[in-house]
Amino acid sequence: MPDNLSASHKAASIRSRIRRLKFNDYVFSLVGLVCMMLGVVTLLALFTDLLLDGMERLNYEFFTSFPSRRAEHAGILSAWVGTMLVMLVTALVAVPMGVAAAIYLEEYAPSNLLTAIIEINVSNLAGVPSIIYGLLALGLFVYQLGLGQSILTAGLTLGLLILPIVIVATRESLRTIPREIREAAYALGATRWQMIYDHVLPYSRGGILTGVIIGMSRAIGETAPIITIGALTFIAFLPPPPFTPEAPYVSFEWLFAPFTVLPIQMFNWVSRPEEAFLINAAATGVVIIVMTLAMNALAIFLRYRIRKNIKW
Amino acid sequence: MTNFNLKALAAALLGGTLAVSLPVQAATPIVTVDGSSTVYPITEAVAEDFQKLKKNKVQVTVGISGTGGGFKKFCRGDIDISDASRPILKKEMELCAQNGVKYIELPVAFDALTVVIHPKNTWAEKMTVAELKKIWEPAAQGKITKWNQVNPAWPDAPLKLFGAGADSGTFDYFTEAIVGKSKSSRGDFTASEDDNVLVQGVSRDINALGFFGYAYYVANTNKLKASAIIEKDGKPAVLPSVETVMNGSYQPLARPIFIYVSNKSLDKPEVREFVEFYLKNAPELVKEVKYIPLGAEDYKLALKNVTNRKLGTGFGGTAEVGVLVSDLLAREGKH
């Protein structure tokens, strides 16, 4: 039966072809897995190593002490407070500016040459090395505007640094809102701003938030621009508190206070001769990583919550 | 989120305008120090104890911009005190003069540049300055690559060199003392501004030779060995130590390190108190951070110079090897 034979031949060749393709599938998934594990395992190994080295110093005292020449008594109080305050200013700068810029580009900007140039610039800015922002800030904020080597300068610098990230993430997020939502709003007589403010923004805040937090986690580890603008290494006092007992009860003096941040403190300890300081450096590294991971976790959690609450 | 955004924007704008329109006034007096990373540990220790003594009524900040960076800020009048691991240079003196910044030069401690080898290296436990010059001078570049080319008694093994980066005061002083001209050195060696990198490098290679500040050697005596230095033929080989530096026998690699105090800042009581505290407590604190204190007389002399406002530098814009601190403090100040 030649017909039968050829049919079974055909079936066999198809089967082997499928097998081969499935094998390719398998190989790729394996390669992908290895690639992914490479990143995760490296991070885990680094983190475990830091944790093992810095464990003994990670106690209450470490967080509540100022730096000191005696490694066992040295702590990161001024550094973590500095990092927190700088991050606060960074967020206050980058979020409103970034979101506003993204809304303009996405919803208002006419599609002409100027807009195209702005868009190209925004994507390019995301790739500019951070030290360049530091140099810009040194010239502009520190000397031209006379803001000094202060928390405000650092916050503005890092704010500019993450601005492109916030803009890009916000635009992506705005773009995911279906056209029908906008049209429905218009159909009910909403103006463009009402449509954006009441519909588009609330639905896209999950994505915006993710972008902001990714930007912030980049900013938290930045050392180069902060060193360029002249952050200090030894600071054994905290900035003045934002609230005062007398009127007007709020004070913005802290914005102009000298400061240090965690990465600088860590860098200084790494380069000290005594090995005991390396333990401090490792402990500081753990704190930075945990802060970054916590911010990312918060982003994931908030995105999940917000997505769940969206009802179209 | 959107509400928050608007509020945040408003707060930022409000905060910005308020803060800018209000005159900035420091509630607590503040002493600002910046400069050399070599002097940093001493100043940090002094600042720590000073603030404790003052119960935080006075604040002290210490930055690390390097000696050159520190002088730049100092001569612009941005800071009160500059940490320096070498004397002020001609160019920096001119800059200070331009901006009307007058200063008092105060040696605060010694640092002993230490030539280090691997602990298992038995042949280079003593080295003459001439041998070191043969290794480090610019003419050695690409030519002197084996130990036996320097001294035939040494093994036929590759010579691996580690040294301070070309921007550091340490590099300036080492080249001045060994080669005879500041910044004149071969370029084919592993250079790093981070001395711990040099420590690692030398401790991992039996054929390595390196140099860096005494504090890094003392912290790593289990990994490194210091080479005893013979200044000239006929002189004994001297190892770096607190004694040999203080009695002046460790030559030519012992160097004084300084703070420069702005004369104008010295009018502020907190700066004056800080400097006096610095000089009075230096003997103790310097030892604690593994540097070598000056003689007790020298600190007294330095204090007197502060009281008398003896302005200017004793060097005149160039580095000098083997200068006596007491001499230096008595010299006519140049501007």
Side-chain angles (χ1 to χ4, degrees):
Chain A
M1 288 288 169
D3 265 7
N4 256 348
L5 203 68
S6 78
S8 73
H9 251 299
K10 236 182 207 160
S13 89
I14 288 174
R15 244 180 248 119
S16 86
R17 196 176 142 78
I18 289 175
R19 223 180 296 124
R20 213 176 55 239
L21 289 176
K22 281 214 164 147
F23 179 72
N24 284 351
D25 225 17
Y26 178 71
V27 167
F28 179 79
S29 73
L30 213 63
V31 170
L33 186 72
V34 168
C35 288
M36 187 200 71
M37 290 311 279
L38 226 64
V40 175
V41 168
T42 313
L43 178 67
L44 266 181
L46 271 175
F47 186 68
T48 323
D49 187 47
L50 276 181
L51 196 62
L52 288 178
D53 285 347
M55 195 68 136
E56 53 182 295
R57 206 69 96 230
L58 282 170
N59 49 31
Y60 180 70
E61 214 202 350
F62 188 66
F63 290 92
T64 52
S65 308
F66 289 115
S68 161
R69 65 179 178 280
R70 298 186 194 90
E72 323 77 71
H73 299 302
I76 53 169
L77 178 58
S78 45
W80 75 255
V81 172
T83 290
M84 288 294 197
L85 292 176
V86 170
M87 284 298 114
L88 179 70
V89 179
T90 304
L92 290 183
V93 171
V95 174
M97 275 188 13
V99 173
I103 292 176
Y104 173 77
L105 282 175
E106 200 58 35
E107 308 284 342
Y108 286 91
S111 53
N112 55 21
L113 187 68
L114 187 69
T115 311
I117 291 174
I118 292 175
E119 281 180 8
I120 291 171
N121 264 313
V122 169
S123 351
N124 275 337
L125 275 179
V128 170
S130 58
I131 185 100
I132 306 286
Y133 285 95
L135 291 172
L136 168 87
L138 184 69
L140 184 66
F141 299 138
V142 178
Y143 292 127
Q144 286 294 325
L145 300 180
L147 298 179
Q149 289 144 3
S150 57
I151 291 174
L152 181 63
T153 304
L156 286 171
T157 312
L158 293 182
L160 282 188
L161 179 75
I162 68 168
L163 196 58
I165 304 175
V166 176
I167 294 178
V168 170
T170 305
R171 293 188 66 185
E172 291 295 332
S173 183
L174 293 177
R175 245 174 257 156
T176 58
I177 309 302
R179 206 181 153 73
E180 290 80 354
I181 298 274
R182 296 158 197 266
E183 280 169 358
Y186 283 139
L188 292 173
T191 62
R192 192 186 284 190
W193 174 243
Q194 283 174 323
M195 179 271 289
I196 293 169
Y197 188 80
D198 293 330
H199 300 279
V200 174
L201 268 185
Y203 300 145
S204 56
R205 59 189 175 179
I208 296 175
L209 211 60
T210 313
V212 168
I213 290 178
I214 288 174
M216 297 286 280
S217 11
R218 174 173 174 200
I220 202 173
E222 278 297 343
T223 324
I226 305 271
I227 287 185
T228 317
I229 61 167
L232 294 145
T233 313
F234 177 79
I235 288 216
F237 54 86
L238 294 178
F243 302 104
T244 48
E246 313 99 47
Y249 303 109
V250 281
S251 151
F252 290 100
E253 241 177 65
W254 61 271
L255 279 172
F256 293 93
F259 69 102
T260 190
V261 291
L262 287 167
I264 291 184
Q265 186 63 66
M266 182 177 174
F267 178 68
N268 174 250
W269 278 334
V270 168
S271 60
R272 294 296 278 262
E274 299 93 340
E275 240 166 273
F277 279 111
L278 293 183
I279 303 174
N280 291 19
T284 315
V286 171
V287 175
I288 298 176
I289 293 183
V290 167
M291 272 172 120
T292 314
L293 289 181
M295 284 206 312
N296 283 324
L298 184 75
I300 294 167
F301 172 74
L302 285 177
R303 193 170 42 190
Y304 171 75
R305 277 284 303 273
I306 289 166
R307 286 240 170 100
K308 224 174 62 178
N309 288 339
I310 293 179
K311 290 190 184 73
W312 281 340
Chain B
M1 184 68 197
T2 51
N3 268 328
F4 169 76
N5 277 344
L6 286 179
K7 270 182 207 152
L9 181 65
L13 285 176
L14 189 70
T17 40
L18 261 185
V20 172
S21 58
L22 284 173
V24 186
Q25 33 177 260
T28 1
I30 191 163
V31 181
T32 50
V33 192
D34 207 329
S36 163
S37 59
T38 311
V39 189
Y40 174 81
I42 305 174
T43 305
E44 180 197 48
V46 176
E48 188 186 347
D49 283 10
F50 183 69
Q51 284 185 92
K52 261 185 212 142
L53 179 84
K54 290 268 145 200
K55 307 242 160 32
N56 290 321
K57 291 276 174 5
V58 177
Q59 301 177 333
V60 186
T61 64
V62 192
I64 301 182
S65 305
T67 303
F71 273 129
K72 230 177 242 166
K73 289 184 183 172
F74 182 74
C75 291
R76 227 174 11 223
D78 290 351
I79 53 173
D80 299 319
I81 298 170
S82 176
D83 284 344
S85 67
R86 56 156 173 80
I88 187 166
L89 298 178
K90 261 263 149 54
K91 248 199 293 180
E92 293 155 351
M93 289 166 70
E94 281 161 17
L95 188 67
C96 271
Q98 248 172 44
N99 297 325
V101 174
K102 299 207 170 103
Y103 46 85
I104 300 171
E105 177 182 71
L106 299 168
V108 290
F110 284 114
D111 183 21
L113 295 191
T114 306
V115 176
V116 291
I117 50 177
H118 191 270
K120 286 200 181 123
N121 178 327
T122 49
W123 61 90
E125 283 169 338
K126 292 177 194 172
M127 295 179 91
T128 66
V129 170
E131 282 164 348
L132 282 171
K133 183 177 178 186
K134 213 167 170 186
I135 295 173
W136 286 99
E137 65 188 351
Q141 179 151 343
K143 291 204 185 98
I144 307 291
T145 53
K146 288 183 170 174
W147 282 91
N148 63 357
Q149 288 172 308
V150 183
N151 183 335
W154 291 347
D156 179 14
L159 178 62
K160 301 269 183 61
L161 295 173
F162 294 85
D167 286 331
S168 65
T170 307
F171 177 80
D172 292 357
Y173 191 87
F174 185 82
T175 46
E176 174 83 34
I178 296 298
V179 182
K181 192 163 170 272
S182 181
K183 289 192 188 295
S184 155
S185 160
R186 69 191 296 170
D188 53 346
F189 66 97
T190 308
S192 175
E193 302 288 348
D194 182 351
D195 292 331
N196 281 327
V197 173
L198 304 177
V199 169
Q200 295 301 335
V202 176
S203 67
R204 279 182 193 149
D205 190 340
I206 189 166
N207 294 316
L209 175 90
F211 68 88
F212 39 74
Y214 182 68
Y216 285 84
Y217 160 66
V218 173
N220 294 289
T221 42
N222 54 339
K223 291 187 215 156
L224 300 167
K225 192 154 72 174
S227 201
I229 304 296
I230 303 167
E231 192 189 356
K232 281 186 212 113
D233 286 336
K235 286 219 173 182
V238 185
L239 276 169
S241 72
V242 175
E243 291 74 39
T244 57
V245 172
M246 284 186 81
N247 68 22
S249 59
Y250 186 69
Q251 287 294 345
L253 291 175
R255 57 167 177 170
I257 51 183
F258 309 87
I259 58 172
Y260 284 73
V261 186
S262 155
N263 188 41
K264 208 160 130 208
S265 299
L266 212 49
D267 292 338
K268 295 190 275 187
E270 65 271 15
V271 176
R272 194 189 171 88
E273 266 178 86
F274 178 72
V275 171
E276 283 170 3
F277 184 87
Y278 203 126
L279 293 170
K280 279 183 190 145
N281 293 279
E284 296 279 306
L285 294 174
V286 163
K287 249 188 241 163
E288 203 183 319
V289 295
K290 307 286 187 263
Y291 283 77
I292 299 144
L294 310 173
E297 283 305 307
D298 296 335
Y299 285 117
K300 277 191 197 134
L301 214 54
L303 260 174
K304 212 187 273 166
N305 281 357
V306 175
T307 319
N308 298 338
R309 302 281 181 117
K310 189 180 158 299
L311 301 176
T313 167
F315 288 93
T318 44
E320 238 176 279
V321 172
V323 62
L324 271 178
V325 170
S326 49
D327 267 5
L328 182 65
L329 284 163
R331 277 186 197 170
E332 184 79 30
K334 298 188 188 73
H335 300 280

